[in-house]
Amino acid sequence: MELKGKKGGHTHKCHLKLFKMFTDLRKGEAKSQVSSSPLLLTTPIHPREFQISVRCTMSKSGAMDLASNLGGKIDKSDVLTAVEKYEQYHEFHGGDEEERKANYTDMVNKYYDLATSFYEYGWGESFHFAHRWNGESLRESIKRHEHFLALQLGVKPGQKVLDVGCGIGGPLREIARFSNSSVTGINNNEYQITRGKELNRLAGVDKTCNFVKADFMKMPFPENTFDAVYAIEATCHAPDAYGCYKEIYRVLKPGQCFAAYEWCMTDAFDPDNAQHQKIKAEIEIGDGLPDIRLTSKCLEALKQAGFEVSII
Ligand SMILES: C[S@@+](CC[C@H](N)C(=O)[O-])C[C@H]1O[C@@H](n2cnc3c(N)ncnc32)[C@H](O)[C@@H]1O
């Protein structure tokens, strides 16, 4: 999908490859179909019952952090309380969407403080999905997905790029090296920033890439700062899609592109279907989401923010 928006007489383009999420419930497990590929993912549906059936990349440093209880800002003795507080934001434990949206910073940070080391240990430095071709490893598919995004974005050597919701910087490092650009990662999670800085240093990109700890709903950058902006499975955490896309539009230079992998539900989602609602609530609690928006709502929000869309 390609988005084109006008700003001050210039054209903004936005490429958005939307993950069309289609869900089905199995006993104790949600099955997600991502994009058009028949990829099955075991969704972590409960913070205490994480099940990830993928080949582990066994990040040694991530494993070290996990083993030495450095898995986030939360002290080991406070983990159970944090899990309980996190759960209370969600439907199964009496929470609701309004509360999650009003407290999105606390809800999302609790989720990542609890889950980050485990993600790194089990998945790698990039915290996103990618469809896999036959014979392709998880790592290869993740990198291909990142290279594809950089190519669609048309990133040129030396350009200033923004990664919105950058995790510990796996995509940031890959895209910076792939395109020889300078990437700034914005992220509101302190532990992930600390971890990302260390990994940037080890990868040798710490002179050209950096991290900024801030909320992507209120970015501390002047308007027209970046030559390109991308977001990988991060803006789904925003309490309001329009507000988030509008911020991205503001910091992007006129005529430049925004590319994203977005989480949304197809319009086949039926709010009156109890099973659909249950699956949605399981994905929300399993992934730190205040809500899951429909594809049509995301498109509407992007256009409202000023972008023109085209499908890629
Ligand atoms: C699924 S992770 C994806 C990380 C990264 N894009 C990647 O693919 O490795 C979502 C990221 O969005 C960040 N995030 C969520 N809400 C945010 C907010 N309001 N402001 C800044 N970052 C946020 C989280 O801290 C996390 O790093």
Side-chain angles (χ1 to χ4, degrees):
M1 193 154 6
E2 187 166 270
L3 309 169
K4 287 181 189 166
K6 287 199 197 291
K7 185 181 176 189
H10 295 275
T11 300
H12 274 245
K13 283 187 185 168
C14 174
H15 296 287
L16 179 80
K17 188 178 176 195
L18 291 167
F19 278 155
K20 295 190 177 3
M21 198 188 298
F22 161 78
T23 56
D24 181 19
L25 185 68
R26 290 187 174 170
K27 212 170 177 187
E29 155 185 331
K31 184 175 87 172
S32 306
Q33 187 177 330
V34 181
S35 194
S36 56
S37 302
L39 174 72
L40 299 184
L41 301 159
T42 304
T43 305
I45 57 166
H46 189 288
R48 285 191 202 131
E49 297 170 4
F50 262 50
Q51 291 181 331
I52 298 185
S53 53
V54 295
R55 198 183 314 159
C56 288
T57 52
M58 297 288 182
S59 157
K60 288 202 182 95
S61 43
M64 189 76 84
D65 263 14
L66 194 64
S68 55
N69 303 322
L70 294 175
K73 252 183 74 200
I74 302 178
D75 190 77
K76 191 179 177 186
S77 59
D78 297 329
V79 165
L80 197 57
T81 321
V83 170
E84 279 163 5
K85 283 193 179 144
Y86 171 77
E87 285 177 332
Q88 280 162 16
Y89 283 122
H90 293 275
E91 315 286 333
F92 300 113
H93 302 269
D96 61 37
E97 187 184 318
E98 285 316 305
E99 202 189 345
R100 286 194 294 282
K101 286 184 174 172
N103 298 285
Y104 70 94
T105 303
D106 185 58
M107 192 270 291
V108 177
N109 270 330
K110 277 210 166 51
Y111 175 78
Y112 283 107
D113 281 339
L114 289 162
T116 295
S117 291
F118 190 61
Y119 265 47
E120 192 185 341
Y121 172 73
W123 198 266
E125 292 177 22
S126 295
F127 297 167
H128 62 81
F129 295 131
H131 62 276
R132 277 168 76 180
W133 292 94
N134 289 342
E136 192 177 40
S137 68
L138 170 68
R139 197 178 165 81
E140 284 166 347
S141 71
I142 294 276
K143 282 178 187 268
R144 178 175 47 71
H145 211 58
E146 293 164 358
H147 297 169
F148 178 79
L149 190 85
L151 287 173
Q152 293 301 327
L153 202 48
V155 183
K156 307 275 182 316
Q159 283 192 328
K160 269 180 84 172
V161 181
L162 178 67
D163 181 331
V164 177
C166 63
I168 57 170
L172 175 154
R173 285 180 287 282
E174 192 58 35
I175 288 174
R177 291 182 294 205
F178 181 73
S179 58
N180 227 350
S181 57
S182 296
V183 188
T184 295
I186 181 168
N187 188 349
N188 219 8
N189 186 275
E190 198 176 312
Y191 170 72
Q192 291 191 343
I193 297 260
T194 309
R195 184 82 193 110
K197 281 184 180 165
E198 173 64 4
L199 292 169
N200 271 13
R201 195 184 58 75
L202 293 172
V205 298
D206 53 324
K207 302 280 183 295
T208 50
C209 298
N210 67 320
F211 291 94
V212 172
K213 186 187 173 304
D215 185 350
F216 56 44
M217 302 301 292
K218 294 168 256 170
M219 298 199 215
F221 309 118
E223 59 186 45
N224 306 337
T225 300
F226 296 97
D227 299 302
V229 180
Y230 68 87
I232 305 183
E233 299 183 22
T235 46
C236 50
H237 292 289
D240 156 37
Y242 166 72
C244 181
Y245 296 149
K246 191 76 195 159
E247 264 302 84
I248 290 170
Y249 187 88
R250 186 183 66 77
V251 300
L252 185 60
K253 288 182 184 169
Q256 300 301 110
C257 292
F258 164 52
Y261 291 121
E262 186 64 280
W263 276 39
C264 359
M265 296 190 298
T266 67
D267 292 339
F269 174 76
D270 176 4
D272 297 325
N273 181 318
Q275 198 192 23
H276 286 197
Q277 286 289 11
K278 184 167 182 276
I279 295 166
K280 178 174 178 280
E282 284 177 340
I283 295 172
E284 285 163 356
I285 193 172
D287 294 276
L289 303 177
D291 183 24
I292 312 176
R293 290 174 274 267
L294 293 175
T295 306
S296 52
K297 291 288 172 202
C298 284
L299 293 177
E300 215 176 281
L302 281 160
K303 287 175 188 163
Q304 210 190 343
F307 291 109
E308 286 177 16
V309 186
S310 60
I311 301 175
I312 49 174

